[in-house]
């Protein structure tokens, strides 16, 4: 949540610092890639004496991906640099996915970001570049367009 808040503030009109937002996207990428590869974050936290101190909700890959990108999208879709980097991050995450359910979750975020960029980016050349990049990822997924857009229940 904090990385999403920092990104949102960085992309606000008063700040206009896409590079801070891009740094936050990179910090989000590593745990998402780890989760896609099947390494969930620990939900049982112990102190140095091995005493259980925290029992957190177990996070799923799909839930974490959705939470992060739904929070970031309204801000990222308005900035060409941040949106381009978000697609690169989603590509890294897509490459780490182990199954079609995960791939569909990533590709859903790709299509939502592309759709948002189509609405929010002011220049046609930027919109076209985002559409081309999103379409490349959809084709690369191996699911086909229809399979990529079919959300798992």
């Amino acid at each position: 949540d904090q990385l999403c808040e920092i990104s949102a503030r960085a992309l606000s009109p008063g700040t206009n610092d896409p590079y801070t937002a891009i740094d936050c996207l990179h910090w989000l990428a590593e745990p998402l890639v780890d989760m896609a590869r099947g390494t969930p974050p620990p939900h049982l936290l112990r102190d140095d004496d091995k005493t259980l101190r925290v029992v957190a909700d177990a996070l799923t890959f799909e839930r974490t991906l959705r939470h992060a990108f739904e929070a970031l999208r309204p801000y990222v879709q308005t900035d060409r640099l941040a949106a381009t980097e978000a697609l690169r991050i989603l590509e890294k995450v897509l490459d780490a996915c182990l199954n079609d359910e995960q791939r569909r979750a990533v590709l859903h975020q790709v299509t939502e970001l592309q759709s948002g960029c189509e609405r929010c980016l002011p220049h046609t050349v930027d919109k076209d570049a985002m559409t081309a990049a999103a379409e490349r990822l959809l084709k690369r997924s191996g699911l086909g367009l229809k399979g990529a857009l079919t959300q798992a229940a």
Side-chain angles (χ1 to χ4, degrees):
D1 284 344
Q2 290 176 339
L3 290 174
C4 294
E5 289 176 23
I6 292 168
S7 292
R9 289 184 186 129
L11 291 171
S12 69
T15 306
N16 193 21
D17 179 14
Y19 298 102
T20 296
I22 288 169
D23 285 343
C24 291
L25 286 167
H26 284 275
W27 291 327
L28 281 170
E30 186 177 341
L32 286 170
V33 166
D34 288 345
M35 290 180 81
R37 290 181 177 150
T39 309
H43 69 279
L44 301 176
L45 303 174
R46 300 176 186 276
D47 64 16
D48 292 337
D49 297 325
K50 306 293 184 214
T51 303
L52 183 63
R53 296 294 180 183
V54 176
V55 178
D57 287 337
L59 298 174
T60 66
F61 167 76
E62 291 83 359
R63 180 177 165 201
T64 304
L65 177 73
R66 183 179 61 248
H67 180 76
F69 276 86
E70 285 180 2
L72 286 170
R73 189 179 321 111
Y75 307 99
V76 170
Q77 70 192 10
T78 64
D79 184 273
R80 180 187 53 83
L81 291 174
T84 299
E85 199 59 34
L87 277 181
R88 285 189 189 123
I89 297 301
L90 287 167
E91 183 174 20
K92 284 177 67 172
V93 175
L94 180 66
D95 288 342
C97 289
L98 299 175
N99 60 57
D100 287 348
E101 183 178 349
Q102 290 176 329
R103 287 183 197 92
R104 278 192 278 283
V106 172
L107 294 170
H108 176 72
Q109 295 305 321
V110 168
T111 58
E112 290 294 314
L113 178 59
Q114 186 277 326
S115 177
C117 288
E118 185 65 33
R119 286 188 313 275
C120 296
L121 289 176
H123 303 291
T124 302
V125 67
D126 295 337
K127 292 177 186 184
D128 292 346
M130 292 303 295
T131 297
E135 287 175 353
R136 180 180 52 83
L137 279 177
L138 290 171
K139 287 179 186 172
R140 210 177 130 220
S141 72
L143 294 175
L145 186 58
K146 185 176 181 181
L149 299 177
T150 304
Q151 274 298 94

